[in-house]
Amino acid sequence: MSATAPTVKPRDYKSAVKPVWCPGCGDFGVLNALTKALAALSVAREKVALISGIGCSARLPAYTGVYGFHGIHGRALPMATGLAVARPDLTVVATGGDGDGFSIGGNHFLHACRRNIDMTYVVMDNAVYGMTKGQASPTTEADWDGSSLTPEGPGMDPVHPLEIALAAGAGFIARGFSGDPNGLAELVTRGIGYPGFAFIQVISPCITYRPEQMEYKHRIHPGFEPTADRREAFLRLMDDDYFTTGLLYRKERPVWRPVAADAANLDSIAAAFRVQAAQ
Ligand code: SF4
């Protein structure tokens, strides 16, 4: 064995908990990619925190051997934000799905992009609410008629997460595919290494409620070439076919950190409260 071979393997980042995802669910590939990325970075398990909201994909932290928090619907980013601010020594990764992240969590997504706190957000996008048995989500096609709640389709255009991230100021924007764990691991590795908010949309088929998505493996193709030119990235997205993967945009900018997050400031704030309480 080479003296420079990594001492940790992807399996070292997995837990003994057996995933309850449907056999063939794309989320398995994302779990594999994430653990590959952590192994590639050789980051200590106790220095990683995975934060999720609610949904099939939000179960992911339980299947890893790092610290994790399975929170409430749409709130992965606020929780991850608080942790990343309080513990900048940690590698913070938020995970979830399209319903969790772009519906009830949509507001938090906007502000996480513009705030630029150092964390990575991996969204497993299958354009459906899988855990609640197959309703249309914010990324569902207007004419998808697979739900009895929207028999003729939701009737409105889906949101485009990459366009939103770019418009809101995110500095690292990428798209991967769950069926390409090595390519996705590379994107996650680069996202974690990016000093700021890194957003990765993962096309992750729901084989139970969107069985037609099993064909995606024939349509996915690499194609994004990373640029630091925001205008160029927007123009690239004008021709997006949904199946193009890769790093679209990468540009560094200052990481936001609240003034009160510094220990000295917290001490002075606490002292001010004590003075006021004594009066
Ligand atoms: Fe995966 Fe869909 Fe099954 Fe949920 S319902 S575990 S998203 S295949």
Side-chain angles (χ1 to χ4, degrees), residues 160-241:
H160 194 301
L162 302 187
E163 288 180 3
I164 292 174
L166 194 58
F172 183 105
I173 301 170
R175 180 189 285 142
F177 177 49
S178 61
D180 174 23
N182 290 333
L184 181 55
E186 171 70 19
L187 290 176
V188 175
T189 302
R190 296 179 72 174
I192 291 174
Y194 173 77
F197 182 75
F199 170 59
I200 303 168
Q201 177 195 27
V202 184
I203 306 301
S204 179
C206 171
I207 56 100
T208 298
Y209 296 106
R210 302 292 310 262
E212 71 278 14
Q213 293 179 345
M214 284 191 280
E215 294 303 311
Y216 282 3
K217 61 180 178 289
H218 302 301
R219 304 178 68 182
I220 288 284
H221 59 92
F224 288 149
E225 292 294 334
T227 177
D229 184 326
R230 201 159 172 235
R231 184 173 183 276
E232 189 178 320
F234 270 120
L235 289 172
R236 179 66 187 81
L237 288 179
M238 293 297 102
D239 296 323
D240 185 34
D241 65 356

Side-chain angles (χ1 to χ4, degrees), residues 73-128:
H73 200 218
R75 310 298 184 221
L77 287 175
M79 292 182 287
T81 295
L83 182 61
V85 166
R87 290 289 306 274
D89 58 309
L90 299 181
T91 294
V92 177
V93 180
T95 66
D98 42 290
D100 182 71
F102 306 136
S103 185
I104 190 171
N107 173 40
H108 302 302
F109 180 51
L110 292 179
H111 296 289
C113 290
R114 78 183 182 95
R115 196 173 281 130
N116 198 37
I117 289 171
D118 191 10
M119 62 172 135
T120 303
Y121 187 31
V122 178
V123 175
M124 286 152 267
D125 189 352
N126 52 23
V128 75

